[in-house]
Amino acid sequence: MNKYDEKYEIRFAAYDDIDEVMKFIDEHWKKDHILAKNRNFFEYEMVIDSRVNFMIAKDRKTGMIQGLAGFIPASKDKDRYDIWGSFWKVVDGAMGLLGLELTKRILKDTNCRTDLSVGLGFKTAVPIVRKMRRYEVGKMQHFYCLSESDSYRIAKIRHYEPFVENREYQVDVIEFNSLKEMESQYDVSENKDTIPYKDTWYINHRYFEHPIYDYRIFGLLEDQRVGALLICREQEYADSKIFRIVDYIGKHGLFAGISGFLKEKLKEYEYIDFYCYGFDTSYVKQAGMIELMENDTNIIPNYFSPYVAENIDIWIGKPKGNAVFFKADGDQDRPN
Amino acid sequence: MKERVSGILERVKPEFKSRLGEGDLVSNGILDSLDIMNLIMELEDEFAIEIDPEDVLSENFESVEAIVALIEKCRS
């Protein structure tokens, strides 16, 4: 108990608090945010095993939520329970450092191994996380490869970089249409030392069972055995479509061998992109993808609802040590 | 040192002086998290100290006197 407990009731949100949490998101985070409007999606993303994954601070006098911090777990593994922070908001006039206090309570009450951040606001959360939590912050790298085209409808291309297939090293790629198929060929527990550890529950919940997006889960073969998973999603816009690699689980080196797979996909997609941090990007380049540089005149959009013709930086935060990040981590890659 | 700290507070939160009579700076919402973060950066520059994340507690920023005590702790 501390000074915060004198003024606030601080606890996990209960099921009965969900309406109020959604209202708070609508009023204080972003009007008409999907988690403010879509109860089913809210429960899909933020309620796991009957626990609402928000730490809330309710003013004891008014009963109103004055601050909240959400989180999304990467697994159900008790020994390797890594989480990503999600919503993090305190109303004006609330006790200072309430946001930090909410984060501390999450760390304590979830007993998580690691707490990661993805999609940090550059002007607000990045300096706070860097300065007050002494976390390392960084920007994800963004890679892409282009199809041959006379006119790109989604990307804005000022300098064309042809895709160069790496024929020296290629891996076979198979697609899994169900969790059962995937489990029969790949044991995700091989990645237990990776931070964050994404277990079978996570892959099923996040990708196979996603209520809105249609994710495609591919296995990369090494010596006829699946050594990594490549998770992708199609994005349509302006009568065109792109292919987004949104997650990668397993041996990094196999990424270098997907050049043939990318070449096939470029026959039907305008471009393919891939955001990552903490990943050995020499493998990405070996696969034929190009890094989007700072102030690059080529535009490879990230936002589609609405479409924004800009290169977007995605900032991450982590404690010291290794951790990998991809586009679909945390609450990123969420429908609007 | 109190004057230097007050000066920094005024820079970080211009309305700080007009709200001095309202009591605790953090508990009463006069300083929010961004203010405290900016304050920490200014204090570290001004006094050549490093404030440990474990000392980023509301009680250490409630008043000018509390901030002075924190600086002295960091210096020692």
Side-chain angles (χ1 to χ4, degrees):
Chain A
M1 292 277 284
N2 60 23
K3 255 189 166 179
Y4 293 98
D5 297 294
E6 288 169 21
K7 191 169 162 73
Y8 303 106
E9 183 194 0
I10 302 178
R11 55 172 173 78
F12 283 119
Y15 200 75
D16 289 344
D17 293 314
I18 290 178
D19 282 335
E20 213 181 322
V21 171
M22 290 176 74
K23 189 163 170 264
F24 183 96
I25 291 171
D26 195 50
E27 288 177 6
H28 300 291
W29 184 267
K30 188 183 174 192
K31 189 102 186 81
D32 296 333
H33 190 282
I34 188 171
L35 262 69
K37 295 295 167 198
N38 188 324
R39 175 77 183 232
N40 283 340
F41 192 77
F42 181 102
E43 293 201 30
Y44 159 76
E45 187 154 282
M46 306 305 293
V47 182
I48 308 292
D49 292 339
S50 305
R51 183 173 74 185
V52 183
N53 288 336
F54 274 100
M55 189 65 72
I56 57 173
K58 275 195 170 190
D59 189 299
R60 288 189 186 277
K61 283 186 188 161
T62 65
M64 305 288 287
I65 295 177
Q66 296 287 284
L68 53 75
F71 63 95
I72 292 175
S75 75
K76 282 190 179 181
D77 188 308
K78 287 190 172 77
D79 297 322
R80 295 167 188 82
Y81 191 66
D82 302 317
I83 62 173
W84 296 282
S86 186
F87 296 88
W88 196 31
K89 181 71 182 178
V90 166
V91 302
D92 288 342
M95 260 180 86
L97 301 177
L98 178 59
L100 270 188
E101 183 66 19
L102 288 171
T103 301
K104 286 178 188 172
R105 300 286 175 112
I106 287 174
L107 298 183
K108 179 173 159 289
D109 292 352
T110 61
N111 199 29
C112 63
R113 177 177 68 166
T114 319
D115 155 50
L116 305 165
S117 304
V118 58
L120 292 172
F122 178 61
K123 288 183 179 170
T124 50
V126 163
I128 288 176
V129 164
R130 177 196 276 142
K131 198 71 197 167
M132 302 216 272
R133 298 191 69 194
R134 295 270 191 251
Y135 267 30
E136 292 175 5
V137 295
K139 216 165 40 167
M140 290 173 80
Q141 289 164 284
H142 194 187
F143 292 87
Y144 69 103
C145 50
L146 298 169
S147 64
E148 280 184 41
S149 175
D150 294 326
S151 64
Y152 297 93
R153 293 184 181 197
I154 300 176
K156 305 291 176 207
I157 302 302
R158 306 280 188 273
H159 57 96
Y160 173 66
E161 310 277 348
F163 177 72
V164 179
E165 185 186 1
N166 175 2
R167 293 196 179 141
E168 285 180 18
Y169 175 55
Q170 299 242 350
V171 300
D172 289 328
V173 181
I174 57 174
E175 185 165 7
F176 297 121
N177 293 305
S178 71
L179 179 72
K180 204 173 165 186
E181 268 184 52
M182 188 209 83
E183 279 187 298
S184 69
Q185 297 203 51
Y186 186 57
D187 181 2
V188 297
S189 69
E190 288 178 12
N191 306 302
K192 273 190 172 164
D193 292 332
T194 302
I195 292 176
Y197 171 54
K198 294 166 183 169
D199 64 359
T200 304
W201 165 81
Y202 176 80
I203 294 167
N204 187 45
H205 179 73
R206 180 72 180 84
Y207 298 119
F208 285 107
E209 289 187 339
H210 198 277
I212 298 172
Y213 281 156
D214 182 21
Y215 288 103
R216 298 179 67 184
I217 296 93
F218 300 92
L220 308 187
L221 295 170
E222 180 182 50
D223 299 327
Q224 297 178 326
R225 217 180 135 266
V226 174
L229 300 177
L230 188 80
I231 293 114
C232 308
R233 178 174 73 76
E234 186 177 283
Q235 175 70 58
E236 288 186 29
Y237 181 76
D239 293 324
S240 185
K241 53 184 185 177
I242 61 167
F243 200 62
R244 312 200 73 179
I245 301 172
V246 297
D247 202 347
Y248 189 93
I249 298 166
K251 293 180 182 171
H252 291 193
L254 294 177
F255 197 107
I258 68 168
S259 200
F261 171 81
L262 297 177
K263 186 182 172 191
E264 278 307 300
K265 289 299 173 200
L266 285 174
K267 289 177 184 170
E268 60 175 305
Y269 293 101
E270 189 175 298
Y271 67 84
I272 301 168
D273 82 325
F274 176 53
Y275 274 98
C276 61
Y277 184 94
F279 190 82
D280 189 333
T281 54
S282 66
Y283 299 133
V284 184
K285 291 172 184 170
Q286 284 174 49
M289 298 191 89
I290 303 157
E291 187 172 359
L292 193 66
M293 304 308 289
E294 191 78 32
N295 301 317
D296 205 310
T297 52
N298 282 351
I299 305 292
I300 306 296
N302 182 44
Y303 294 145
F304 293 89
S305 305
Y307 169 80
V308 176
E310 286 175 22
N311 290 327
I312 299 294
D313 293 332
I314 302 179
W315 285 82
I316 62 93
K318 65 179 189 68
K320 285 192 177 115
N322 294 328
V324 285
F325 295 82
F326 302 100
K327 164 89 183 110
D329 286 350
D331 57 10
Q332 303 296 293
D333 204 45
R334 183 202 271 141
N336 203 351
Chain B
M1 196 189 290
K2 270 170 108 174
E3 276 180 20
R4 286 164 79 187
V5 169
S6 293
I8 291 171
L9 274 165
E10 266 185 87
R11 278 205 302 275
V12 165
K13 195 84 182 185
E15 67 258 40
F16 148 72
K17 257 207 165 155
S18 65
R19 298 188 68 179
L20 255 178
E22 290 180 33
D24 290 338
L25 297 173
V26 180
S27 299
N28 290 324
I30 298 168
L31 294 179
D32 64 21
S33 298
L34 266 177
D35 295 330
I36 293 169
M37 182 205 66
N38 289 329
L39 178 61
I40 287 171
M41 292 200 292
E42 296 258 354
L43 292 173
E44 288 185 335
D45 274 341
E46 176 80 9
F47 297 102
I49 55 172
E50 199 170 299
I51 297 175
D52 198 278
E54 292 195 354
D55 288 325
V56 180
L57 302 167
S58 59
E59 50 259 42
N60 288 336
F61 297 92
E62 293 282 27
S63 63
V64 172
E65 291 76 15
I67 296 168
V68 167
L70 174 63
I71 295 165
E72 281 165 359
K73 179 191 171 192
C74 292
R75 275 179 161 178
S76 66

